[in-house]
Amino acid sequence: PTHHRRRQNPHALDMMPAATGDPSSATEAQAATALASAWRGHAERAHNPPGSKWGAARKFSNSGPKAVLATAKSAPKKGNPAVVGLTGFAMTTMLLQLHNLGVCNIGPVLALGIIYGGGAQLIAGFQEFQCGNNFGYSAFVSYGAFWISFGIILFLNDAGVYVSDATDIGCYLLLWGVYTGLLFIVSWRIHTAMSITFLTLMLGFFGLSIAHFVTAPWLTVLSACDLILCACCAWYMMMAALLEQVFGGPVLPLGKPWIADAVAMRLRGDKDVTMQQLFRNIVSLSAAHKT
């Protein structure tokens, strides 16, 4: 009977998978949780019939598991906040590098950085939190804060309230390069497009930081070109997300993760993964990259 299985493992129905960064996965996790709750109620009713002492004292929902699951799946599907966050990041990054190359003035950078690069990315980051995506939550909120704080630095410099010299800006960019390096390591488990985006972003931060310390215009130009490539990678990922929903499946390839499943399982300490399996997976991944 159901109540005997519950006595053997009372928390069996609570061991549900956590939601991922994909909004559809979050909806499936909510549906699974609701289904587990309904089954839990049926198990309790089987153990404590309504006519019994404990059954009369408890109230249960009359909706069965199928009704709960159907209601959860019929909920409107959430959008992907990354399509806004990536565009806000890419457009402001591109515009700033055009300024570094002498194409435009700083005015549009300040306005776009505060509204789109700052405000829109913050909103996208908070929505990633609702989807259970810690990576997107950290990245979008942090880089949104970067653009707002960078805009404040530009405004204070122009107003003469507190002028930041080249060394100040160099230290500011250096710390952002360190943070980007940490996200770059995490991106190894996502896909190649994400890893390239954070690699170019990290190199750009470090390049611009060094250029402020040693006053090297050529390094500023080189870093600007690198960050333009970074912005293009972010736009590419945004288009991949939009096209996947419109066409009902992947259209633009994003590449494989730089850390394969077997490597990740080994890092987690999974004893089921042998060193032979690990070596075979690394060799196959290297061969795929060469082709």
Side-chain angles (χ1 to χ4, degrees):
T2 306
H3 62 276
H4 289 310
R5 291 198 300 269
R6 181 170 176 80
R7 286 177 180 174
Q8 294 174 2
N9 188 2
H11 300 290
L13 294 176
D14 296 328
M15 299 169 61
M16 309 304 299
T20 63
D22 188 2
S24 61
S25 299
T27 304
E28 293 175 0
Q30 294 173 359
T33 304
L35 179 61
S37 177
W39 276 117
R40 189 180 297 111
H42 280 276
E44 300 255 356
R45 278 196 292 271
H47 185 57
N48 301 299
S52 65
K53 176 181 178 181
W54 296 104
R58 297 181 179 182
K59 296 180 180 180
F60 298 100
S61 172
N62 292 326
S63 59
K66 292 184 179 180
V68 174
L69 186 60
T71 303
K73 287 189 174 181
S74 64
K77 188 177 181 180
K78 294 182 179 180
N80 186 354
V83 298
V84 174
L86 288 171
T87 308
F89 168 82
M91 190 175 297
T92 47
T93 301
M94 180 77 72
L95 189 62
L96 178 60
Q97 305 323 307
L98 293 178
H99 166 72
N100 288 336
L101 295 175
V103 178
C104 66
N105 293 323
I106 197 65
V109 178
L110 176 62
L112 188 67
I114 292 178
I115 299 300
Y116 203 11
Q121 278 201 90
L122 282 177
I123 294 174
F126 294 141
Q127 290 177 331
E128 290 281 10
F129 172 80
Q130 296 296 328
C131 296
N133 183 2
N134 286 332
F135 184 85
Y137 175 44
S138 177
F140 287 138
V141 172
S142 298
Y143 291 123
F146 163 80
W147 281 107
I148 294 175
S149 60
F150 185 68
I152 293 175
I153 291 175
L154 296 178
F155 176 78
L156 293 178
N157 279 356
D158 185 70
V161 177
Y162 181 83
V163 179
S164 300
D165 58 15
T167 303
D168 297 331
I169 302 297
C171 293
Y172 176 79
L173 296 174
L174 178 62
L175 293 178
W176 280 105
V178 173
Y179 168 73
T180 304
L182 298 177
L183 291 186
F184 171 56
I185 296 174
V186 179
S187 70
W188 296 350
R189 272 296 290 158
I190 302 178
H191 48 65
T192 299
M194 187 71 73
S195 298
I196 294 177
T197 301
F198 279 92
L199 174 61
T200 52
L201 181 59
M202 178 186 65
L203 295 177
F205 272 127
F206 285 140
L208 291 176
S209 175
I210 296 173
H212 280 79
F213 284 131
V214 300
T215 313
W218 65 270
L219 187 54
T220 300
V221 174
L222 183 61
S223 301
C225 295
D226 169 78
L227 289 171
I228 288 176
L229 175 61
C230 174
C232 292
C233 290
W235 260 326
Y236 180 86
M237 290 190 293
M238 180 271 296
M239 281 298 297
L242 291 176
L243 292 174
E244 182 175 359
Q245 183 182 32
V246 171
F247 287 92
V251 176
L252 296 178
L254 295 173
K256 296 181 179 181
W258 287 8
I259 295 183
D261 293 338
V263 180
M265 295 172 67
R266 190 71 182 180
L267 291 175
R268 290 197 304 262
D270 195 330
K271 298 180 180 179
D272 295 333
V273 180
T274 63
M275 290 302 297
Q276 185 178 4
Q277 291 174 322
L278 181 63
F279 178 75
R280 187 162 51 245
N281 196 294
I282 293 176
V283 171
S284 62
L285 184 62
S286 301
H289 277 296
K290 290 180 181 179
T291 56

